[in-house]
Amino acid sequence: MSTKQKNYWPLVSVIIPFYNVKNYIKNTLESVNNQVYKNIEIILVNDGSTDNSLKVVKEFLSKCKFKYTLYSQKNSGVSAARNKGLSLSSGEYVVFVDSDDLLSPQYINKMYETIKENDFSMVICGFNTFRDDGLIYRNKFIIEEPDSLASIEIMNRFLTRKIKISICSLMVKKDVIEKYKIRFASGYKYSEDMHFIWKLLAHVERVGVISSPLYYYRWRDSSAMANFNDSRLDGLYLMKDIEKYYEKYCKDFAKKFKKYGIARWVWATLWQSACALSYNEFKYFSNKIMASAMMKKLEDFPDIRVRLSSKIYRYNNYLYYLFIRKIAQLKDIKRINNNRILYILLRI
């Protein structure tokens, strides 16, 4: 390899949509600015913010050491904003960052090093969730570092939740996105990121895996993931779309996804609804997502927790409701007792 090739650091596009995050986006941009990897461009898409977010961003960019693009549009949702960011990006690789989150300084560097050393098209890393008081919700990432997996194995692990992938915990070659015209599903508020990830996985041969957490999600009571309403049904429609997509592009996995894909989404969403809703609201919502039929599909699911909780629901949905809420309560107590170290870990 020539000296020139050794020293070549391709441009990485960091796409950040933002909407009404005046209290958070400066810290997010600081964590981008502190990246060890230096050849990046920041693509910021203002999705019709009505607070001072745009002002905060402009003040920060006036001192930013990286190349950047700032674009404003009327409020159209995060999918439309991410798609706009993709159209404005010129990097060889792409990462997505949410406008209230934080990055390890090694976030881009470690993912690119893994891609470069193994000639991957895509790499994923671990991530954690944190609250403003510094409490960390640790996400288990059941695989040793360093490693890589064939796409079919990643699909299996992703489907069975033996590995977790977030839209913000991956780096992908932009060529893959453009070749297969992959875009976020505009007009949907939930699961549009999972929809995008499933499409990516259909078109890569191997995926690099970094188990250590390089990305930190901020949990806010007002954030999209903290609220629960009928918009959650978006995920049901998008998972049905992935069924059709895999029948066309990934026949080797299509049968397994058809068996478990929608049912596994229903299982996760049912769990969330039990934590967020009153029992009457929970019953109403569970009927909308065809919970009884979907839980039956999971009677031979590989994860015993899924099998057991599905059986409990089918036996008595009120018992299931109480069971899930009790588990959630116990988890919160454990997290509060054990995890107040966020800012030390990030060192920012």
Side-chain angles (χ1 to χ4, degrees), residues 228 230 273 276-287 321:
F228 207 100
D230 278 1
S273 70
L277 302 175
S278 69
Y279 177 61
N280 286 335
E281 291 170 329
F282 167 77
K283 284 199 302 180
Y284 169 79
F285 185 79
S286 62
N287 288 333
Y321 177 79

Side-chain angles (χ1 to χ4, degrees), residues 16-202:
I16 311 176
F18 66 94
Y19 173 76
N20 289 358
V21 283
K22 66 177 182 178
N23 295 327
Y24 306 104
I25 194 165
K26 182 180 178 181
N27 287 338
T28 300
L29 291 173
E30 285 174 345
S31 71
V32 175
N33 212 35
N34 289 336
Q35 290 301 293
V36 171
Y37 191 96
K38 300 304 181 186
N39 192 20
I40 69 175
E41 64 170 0
I42 305 172
I43 311 295
L44 286 144
V45 181
N46 173 31
D47 189 34
S49 294
T50 58
D51 64 357
N52 285 327
S53 295
L54 184 58
K55 180 182 178 182
V56 173
V57 167
K58 286 181 175 179
E59 288 176 354
F60 185 88
L61 291 178
S62 67
K63 305 172 185 177
C64 181
K65 60 187 177 184
F66 293 119
K67 174 184 176 183
Y68 65 84
T69 298
L70 175 60
Y71 179 87
S72 290
Q73 64 183 30
K74 67 178 182 180
N75 183 245
S76 305
V78 67
S79 290
R82 284 174 176 156
N83 287 339
K84 187 63 183 181
L86 280 170
S87 71
L88 294 171
S89 66
S90 54
E92 187 174 335
Y93 298 91
V94 173
V95 296
F96 299 96
V97 173
D98 285 347
S99 56
D100 54 354
D101 296 338
L102 298 172
L103 315 177
S104 160
Q106 289 287 346
Y107 170 70
I108 294 174
N109 189 55
K110 281 194 173 183
M111 288 201 287
Y112 172 67
E113 286 289 339
T114 300
I115 281 180
K116 180 184 71 171
E117 290 171 6
N118 301 279
D119 195 27
F120 295 136
S121 296
M122 179 175 166
V123 63
I124 60 175
C125 70
F127 59 92
N128 285 331
T129 304
F130 71 96
R131 300 190 323 200
D132 287 340
D133 62 2
L135 174 64
I136 295 180
Y137 293 73
R138 298 186 180 280
N139 290 307
K140 292 182 179 179
F141 200 96
I142 310 172
I143 194 167
E144 293 183 1
E145 177 191 4
D147 210 340
S148 70
L149 292 170
S151 61
I152 194 74
E153 181 59 24
I154 284 282
M155 291 174 199
N156 275 305
R157 289 176 181 242
F158 190 38
L159 181 65
T160 58
R161 298 300 175 95
K162 290 182 179 178
I163 196 168
K164 294 186 178 182
I165 309 175
S166 154
I167 195 62
C168 297
S169 68
L170 64 84
M171 177 182 286
V172 63
K173 273 190 175 181
K174 192 180 178 185
D175 283 353
V176 175
I177 295 173
E178 297 305 320
K179 180 178 179 180
Y180 296 101
K181 297 180 173 59
I182 302 173
R183 290 295 184 270
F184 291 89
S186 293
Y188 295 89
K189 291 184 178 180
Y190 295 98
S191 299
E192 78 290 339
D193 49 354
M194 293 296 101
H195 183 259
F196 188 92
I197 292 168
W198 275 116
K199 284 190 172 184
L200 284 179
L201 292 176

Side-chain angles (χ1 to χ4, degrees), residues 326-342:
K326 186 63 176 179
I327 288 177
Q329 182 184 29
L330 292 173
K331 281 187 175 181
D332 281 342
I333 292 171
K334 182 178 179 181
R335 287 163 178 160
I336 288 170
N337 287 336
N338 294 332
N339 297 296
R340 294 185 179 276
I341 54 174
L342 172 68

Side-chain angles (χ1 to χ4, degrees), residues 252-301:
D252 290 344
F253 192 70
K255 184 176 180 181
K256 189 165 187 178
F257 189 90
K258 188 169 185 177
K259 181 176 182 180
Y260 291 136
I262 293 175
R264 185 59 180 80
W265 176 90
V266 168
W267 181 90
T269 307
L270 190 68
W271 186 294
Q272 294 164 10
S273 70
C275 295
L277 302 175
S278 69
Y279 177 61
N280 286 335
E281 291 170 329
F282 167 77
K283 284 199 302 180
Y284 169 79
F285 185 79
S286 62
N287 288 333
K288 279 200 155 191
I289 60 174
M290 305 174 292
S292 294
M294 292 298 108
M295 293 301 100
K296 184 173 176 56
K297 282 191 171 187
L298 298 172
E299 60 186 7
D300 61 346
F301 194 78

